[in-house]
Amino acid sequence: MIQPIKSYRKSFFGLIILLIVFFLCNISLGSVAIPLDEIFTILVGRNSSKETWDFIILNFRLPKSITAIMVGSGLSISGLLMQTLFRNPLAGPFVLGISSGASLGVAFLILGSSIFGSGLLAYTTSNWVLAIASSTGAFLVLLAVLIAATRVRNTMSILIIGLMFGSLSAAIISVLTYFSQANQIQQYLFWSFGSLGNLSWSEVLVFLLFYLVCLGGCFFIIKPLNSLLLGENYAKSLGISIQKSRNLILLITAILTGVITAFSGPIAFIGLAVPHITKLLFKTSNHKILIPAVACTGGIIMLICDSIAQLPTLEYTLPINAITSLFGAPIVIWLLVRKRKIYV
Amino acid sequence: MSKKTNHNTLKTKDLSIGYSKKDTNHIVYNNINLKVSKGSFVALLGKNGIGKSTLLRTLSGVQKPLNGSVFFNDKDVSSTSNSELATQISMVLTERLPESQLTVFELVALGRQPYTNWVDKLSNDDMQKISWALEITETKSLQSKRFYELSDGQLQRVLIARALAQDTDLILLDEPTAHLDMHHTIKIFTLLKSLAEKTNKTILISSHEVNLSIQLADQLILMTDDKIYAGSTKELVSLNAFDQLFSKDLINFNIDLEQFVFQKKN
């Protein structure tokens, strides 16, 4: 008999190896050159020959690499969930207005200080304040989108409502920008480039907590996601509650994307592209395979992007948002042209 | 082989079907009283737009009735939970499947969802049911193909296999032969007829294949402009029910042939 479910063990094994390789590669890159054997020594918990190396690895590079994996895999999973829910290959993690909401929150904090008084500006250097501003903004816009979503039956309308809120936020940001000073605009622009570094361990731990909760939640939506592959009517006839599953899928995406945006800014492209890359590699629509595959691929690609951002001068880090698209877009185009078929 | 009983498995009482928008009800069809016996192959006939699909959706519990009720195995469908209904009623719809990479096996396996655990793991029992469904619909050899690689006739049989894997007493099919040629249409009809006989499942299809339905179905349900007729071909002929199905300027029901014939104008 033909094996009905293809074994994906080999592919997963390969992905995990790649993930580890690029994780080590990512940790070993930076403005200070540290030999690879010393890095291993530090990672297994012993002291290396230089105390500064310990400090750099443990407090800068390790949290950054972990953040990269969480951001990459989290955004990719969110993108996959949105593409399946909306049955639209152009959907990504930000269709619910989360990035525009976060941008709006941060814009009010940084740019609004000239309008609402300069008291706010003093706090903008802290990650926590930025995180709180962006998550508040994201939460409010998301809430508006979700309230609107409960009033429409058609799932596609939610997509358009999310886009409309995005335009609305962009418009408000334009107005704020118009009245702001150059240094504030620059500061806002830097935030919008996204960044993986600068997170302390306590921030990484909070991030990790939310990330793991959402990952756990993903187990519960594998079934509804798979039945949605047949369309909403079939899913309903299979006993799936569309409303409940839709809300759970939206909630997981919202929390995951919200917390990522809060800590690393609006990182574009990954969430849209990685699900497509993964589907091209794995050729399946089964979410039991796709979710872990997308998570691994997302982590790997984010690590690669971050490594590239480090490379050019080793002194400066390029904006991660530019790298993801600069490096990722050609790959997706190449894959699509070569394979000729888009897998949704 | 299981014995056929005369137990009425599907019943409707003063059923009104249609859509409610805000406070106003848009009634598609009124006052439907039907009885369908277990293990029968039933064809629902009627012209375009008369409400066949709406009736099927209401019978399945996907759509709420405007008035009256649907009983399946003596239980009111609208008060039965979605997950329980999924083990009793399965569907084959006319809508196209969204694009995906699902293989035939995976598609049929989705029929087992009402029985699988929370991560959708297939048990031995599930595998057996899937395997049986693939065999009886002659789709086993297609199981590792993607569903979009299939011909319309093959896809229709795979969708029937999915409904069979769902292991329900009632299967509702909305125009399962809509895109098929004569050969494949007859193949689907005879498959459904033999399934009803072999498995004692009740199979209800909506169809425009009037002549074929007259020959093969155990029971016919005719939705006409005035009222619904239900019964065997003979019973309906004696009621002159077939004359009500279409306006008579183009087609007529020929009682001797028990078939509809095209009315040539001289």
Side-chain angles (χ1 to χ4, degrees), chain A residues 21 35 66 85 87 135 154 172 181 198 244 268 290 294 309 317:
Chain A
V21 167
I66 293 174
L85 181 68
R87 289 188 301 282
S135 47
N154 190 336
I172 298 172
Q181 284 139 22
N198 306 328
K244 227 164 77 183
L290 270 186
V294 157
T317 315

Side-chain angles (χ1 to χ4, degrees), chain A residues 248-280:
Chain A
L248 193 59
I249 293 168
L250 291 179
L251 189 72
I252 289 174
T253 309
I255 296 176
L256 201 51
T257 318
V259 76
I260 289 170
T261 314
F263 285 115
S264 3
I267 291 178
F269 189 77
I270 292 288
L272 175 72
V274 171
H276 289 303
I277 295 173
T278 314
K279 284 174 200 165
L280 283 166

Side-chain angles (χ1 to χ4, degrees), chain A residues 4 87 219-220 223 226-227 229-231 233-234 237-240 283-286 288 341-344, chain B residues 82 86 91-93 95 97-102 105-106 110 113-114 116-120 146 162 166:
Chain A
R87 289 188 301 282
F219 281 107
F220 292 93
K223 239 173 122 161
N226 279 343
S227 69
L229 292 173
L230 299 178
N233 284 328
Y234 272 118
S237 82
L238 282 166
I240 301 292
K283 297 188 185 65
T284 180
S285 292
N286 185 350
K288 219 195 290 189
K341 173 109 181 80
I342 185 158
Y343 301 122
V344 189
Chain B
N82 275 354
M91 301 189 82
V92 174
L93 304 167
E95 62 188 41
L97 296 176
E99 263 190 67
S100 74
Q101 286 294 300
L102 282 177
F105 180 88
E106 286 172 321
L110 278 174
Q113 269 212 352
T116 54
N117 68 357
W118 59 290
V119 282
D120 222 358
R146 317 265 167 204
R162 193 209 62 83
Q166 208 175 326

Side-chain angles (χ1 to χ4, degrees), chain A residues 44 82 118 125 129 140 167 183 221 233 240 307 332 342:
Chain A
V44 295
M82 291 299 97
S118 55
T125 44
V129 176
L140 290 177
S167 315
N183 62 333
I221 51 173
N233 284 328
I240 301 292
S307 304
V332 173
I342 185 158

Side-chain angles (χ1 to χ4, degrees), chain B residues 137-195:
Chain B
T137 53
E138 296 169 34
T139 48
K140 188 128 209 172
S141 58
L142 306 171
Q143 64 172 334
S144 41
K145 283 200 170 180
R146 317 265 167 204
F147 77 87
Y148 54 76
E149 295 168 342
L150 306 179
S151 70
D152 284 339
Q154 288 172 330
L155 180 62
Q156 220 36 262
R157 276 185 286 141
V158 168
L159 290 173
I160 291 169
R162 193 209 62 83
L164 285 173
Q166 208 175 326
D167 198 16
T168 57
D169 285 344
L170 174 64
I171 304 178
L172 301 173
L173 303 96
D174 195 1
E175 291 184 33
T177 60
H179 306 290
L180 305 185
D181 63 34
M182 214 171 193
H183 170 79
H184 287 98
T185 301
I186 294 172
K187 201 167 171 182
I188 295 287
F189 264 81
T190 47
L191 171 67
L192 292 173
K193 168 115 177 143
S194 76
L195 280 173

Side-chain angles (χ1 to χ4, degrees), chain B residues 27 51 61 136 142 151 185 187 194 237 245 250 254 260:
Chain B
I27 295 171
I136 206 159
L142 306 171
S151 70
T185 301
K187 201 167 171 182
S194 76
V237 167
L245 199 57
L250 282 175
N254 184 316
F260 277 91

